[in-house]
């Protein structure tokens, strides 16, 4: 079983749509969770961290369910510029420690005009 | 914000030659840097963890004699792909952790071996 699993997509949605991505992780001791965005042929960029209480940043909402080892990302009112690959990322040690991140394979999103 | 500079961004080399990729933290000290490789339509796979002043830690299946890592200072880590072959063609990305501030990635190096 992969350490971090995501639906690869692709998700093709019209502008203005709401889209949700899911991710599961296998290491129950994981402590830090992130969503990164990666544009084609570019480096990943942090979109948002994910907390147990859930967090929202504008049109983006992230949720963490530790019991189910499940992370989600919701994008409302999709824009064309949201088209990218979204990477679910898990760090098995507390934030603040230098430790490698474990990446999901990414979910590809295309927002259509 | 934190900046990690990676150079070169793109390189084409002949089979059998060596290529060096540099990763610099510009406004912070990075005792640890990470080197990833990403093949088309696949996720980033950690190759090795680079530790300043000590030997790098390689992930299983990554040949340490082929992918030489040097982290001689707190702001510079280098990855040298020795005797490159076409199957080494990939996107190589470094990153540095900034503790609670998260991780910053270099812009990546696209290596093509012909």
């Amino acid at each position: 079983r992969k350490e971090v699993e995501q639906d690869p997509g692709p998700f093709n949605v019209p502008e203005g749509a709401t889209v949700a991505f899911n991710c599961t992780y296998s290491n129950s001791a994981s402590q830090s969770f992130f969503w990164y965005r990666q544009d084609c042929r570019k480096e990943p960029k942090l979109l948002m961290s994910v907390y147990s209480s859930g967090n929202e940043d504008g049109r983006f909402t992230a949720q963490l369910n530790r019991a189910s080892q499940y992370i989600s990302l919701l994008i409302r009112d999709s824009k064309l510029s949201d088209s990218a690959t979204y990477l679910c990322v898990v760090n098995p040690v507390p934030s603040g420690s230098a430790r490698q991140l474990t990446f999901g394979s990414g979910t590809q999103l295309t927002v259509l005009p | 914000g934190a900046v990690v500079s990676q150079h070169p961004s793109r390189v084409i080399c002949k089979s059998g030659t060596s290529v060096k990729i540099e990763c610099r933290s510009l406004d912070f000290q990075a005792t640890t840097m990470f080197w990833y490789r990403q093949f088309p339509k696949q996720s980033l796979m950690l190759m090795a963890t680079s530790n300043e002043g000590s030997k790098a830690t390689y992930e299983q299946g990554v040949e340490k004699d082929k992918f030489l890592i040097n982290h001689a200072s707190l702001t510079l880590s280098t990855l040298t792909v020795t005797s490159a072959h076409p199957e080494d063609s990939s996107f190589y990305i470094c990153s540095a952790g900034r503790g609670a501030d998260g991780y910053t990635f270099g812009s990546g190096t696209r290596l093509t071996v012909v």
Side-chain angles (χ1 to χ4, degrees):
Chain A
R1 181 185 173 188
K2 290 183 181 177
E3 289 187 63
V4 180
E5 292 207 56
Q6 291 181 253
D7 180 347
F11 284 64
N12 298 317
V13 302
E15 228 177 334
T18 295
V19 61
F21 305 138
N22 303 318
C23 168
T24 57
Y25 59 95
S26 61
N27 185 346
S28 60
S30 298
Q31 303 210 19
S32 305
F33 309 90
F34 311 91
W35 282 102
Y36 277 72
R37 151 186 190 139
Q38 185 176 25
D39 293 289
C40 187
R41 294 174 176 265
K42 300 283 187 181
E43 75 278 19
K45 293 187 176 177
L46 179 65
L47 180 64
M48 58 198 308
S49 301
V50 188
Y51 306 113
S52 296
S53 55
N55 50 306
E56 185 174 315
D57 182 3
R59 298 181 293 109
F60 299 85
T61 301
Q63 294 277 356
L64 166 64
N65 184 322
R66 285 187 184 274
S68 301
Q69 295 179 206
Y70 170 95
I71 305 159
S72 67
L73 176 68
L74 182 75
I75 304 175
R76 291 180 298 277
D77 189 23
S78 301
K79 310 291 184 191
L80 296 176
S81 57
D82 294 334
S83 298
T85 297
Y86 290 82
L87 304 172
C88 176
V89 184
V90 173
N91 186 339
V93 296
S95 177
S97 301
R99 181 75 164 88
Q100 63 267 29
L101 303 175
T102 301
F103 287 81
S105 55
T107 299
Q108 185 180 342
L109 170 68
T110 301
V111 181
L112 304 169
Chain B
V3 176
V4 173
S5 173
Q6 186 172 343
H7 179 81
S9 58
R10 181 184 295 257
V11 60
I12 301 172
C13 71
K14 290 185 178 180
S15 192
T17 61
S18 296
V19 174
K20 180 186 283 190
I21 303 169
E22 291 188 350
C23 184
R24 292 180 185 274
S25 57
L26 297 186
D27 55 354
F28 67 101
Q29 295 181 331
T31 55
T32 304
M33 288 188 179
F34 307 101
W35 287 95
Y36 295 85
R37 180 168 54 183
Q38 185 178 34
F39 292 105
K41 297 190 182 297
Q42 295 186 25
S43 189
L44 279 75
M45 295 301 296
L46 180 68
M47 298 175 66
T49 302
S50 168
N51 304 296
E52 188 268 335
S54 65
K55 291 183 180 179
T57 304
Y58 289 81
E59 295 300 300
Q60 192 173 11
V62 178
E63 299 175 57
K64 61 180 181 181
D65 294 329
K66 180 171 180 61
F67 299 97
L68 300 179
I69 290 175
N70 184 280
H71 194 155
S73 77
L74 288 171
T75 59
L76 175 64
S77 176
T78 61
L79 168 68
T80 301
V81 183
T82 63
S83 187
H85 290 284
E87 57 266 30
D88 297 324
S89 299
S90 187
F91 190 49
Y92 292 85
I93 310 177
C94 66
S95 80
R98 292 204 65 198
D101 291 340
Y103 294 79
T104 300
F105 287 84
S107 54
T109 298
R110 190 160 301 279
L111 170 64
T112 303
V113 185
V114 298

